Amino acid sequence: MKNILFFGDSLTAGYGLPAAASFPALVQQKIDAAHLPYKALNYGVSGDTSAGGRARLAATLARQPADVFVLALGANDGIRSVPVPDTSANLQAILQAVRQQFPAAQLVVAGLEFPFNISPLGNHRLVRYAAEFKALFRPLAQQFGAAFVPFLLEGVLGHRDLNLADGVHPNAAGQQILADNVWAVLGPLLEAAERA
């Protein structure tokens, strides 16, 4: 069995839900249905930022070898308006460390974006930040030759019926859509790797 490490925050952890309802667990169901020899490991930590992920990465990689590494961090940076260059530097450091320790690992980057509620008289600094934040993920994936999930929360963000009462965290149905979004990229990657 090969390991897929899902490295993220509450979105990955499945905040407020049973572990079996998190998107990595749902991806495991898709893996099993496709009869692929991979084990999905959930290293989502609620509240984690890119800096927090960078700090805990070494301990995570010491625990499990990574054949595939799915990076899904940055949401909490966005919520806290962490400067985009800081977030980018932390995510680069994470991918670089995985690449150094496991050179053959397939890398996957999950993109994020934020629909800041901007009125015509809204905060233009937030508009600019939202644009810069959204734009950091694709170049990061390209830099490391990683597969890219354009928007992890596609079809879920802003849909009240797909989120918990807090309006921020996906419910079980929302997590299923996250799993579909990730699988659209990860599934073909795993199948190609098995054919190689």
Side-chain angles (χ1 to χ4, degrees):
M1 293 293 282
K2 299 172 187 174
N3 292 329
I4 306 174
L5 273 58
F6 288 89
F7 197 74
D9 47 37
S10 58
L11 301 175
T12 301
Y15 174 87
L17 300 170
S22 69
F23 83 78
L26 299 172
V27 166
Q28 182 69 63
Q29 293 178 11
K30 296 174 185 293
I31 290 169
D32 294 344
H35 306 291
L36 294 166
Y38 291 87
K39 182 178 180 183
L41 301 165
N42 191 334
Y43 286 100
V45 173
S46 291
D48 211 4
T49 61
S50 63
R54 185 175 180 176
R56 69 180 169 94
L57 179 67
T60 301
L61 295 182
R63 202 173 305 154
Q64 299 283 356
D67 298 289
V68 180
F69 186 88
V70 181
L71 180 60
L73 273 175
N76 290 307
D77 294 52
I79 290 169
R80 299 174 192 185
S81 296
V82 171
V84 168
D86 294 355
T87 300
S88 183
N90 287 327
L91 298 179
Q92 284 181 48
I94 289 168
L95 292 171
Q96 187 65 45
V98 175
R99 175 61 46 79
Q100 285 178 342
Q101 195 161 339
F102 300 105
Q106 293 271 5
L107 302 177
V108 179
V109 171
L112 292 164
E113 56 188 75
F114 285 90
F116 291 112
N117 189 15
I118 305 299
S119 72
L121 301 175
N123 186 329
H124 294 293
R125 188 184 66 79
L126 276 184
V127 176
R128 188 168 63 250
Y129 179 85
E132 291 173 356
F133 182 87
K134 177 182 177 180
L136 83 87
F137 294 95
R138 187 181 295 274
L140 185 74
Q142 291 171 342
Q143 178 184 346
F144 287 90
F148 183 57
V149 179
F151 182 27
L152 179 63
L153 291 168
E154 180 73 48
V156 176
L157 192 67
H159 293 267
R160 190 171 294 174
D161 59 323
L162 295 173
N163 287 278
L164 300 178
D166 63 14
V168 174
H169 294 99
N171 60 22
Q175 284 279 338
Q176 184 67 66
I177 294 173
L178 266 61
D180 292 342
N181 292 342
V182 171
W183 187 248
V185 173
L186 183 61
L189 189 75
L190 300 184
E191 288 167 0
E194 290 310 297
R195 286 196 301 268

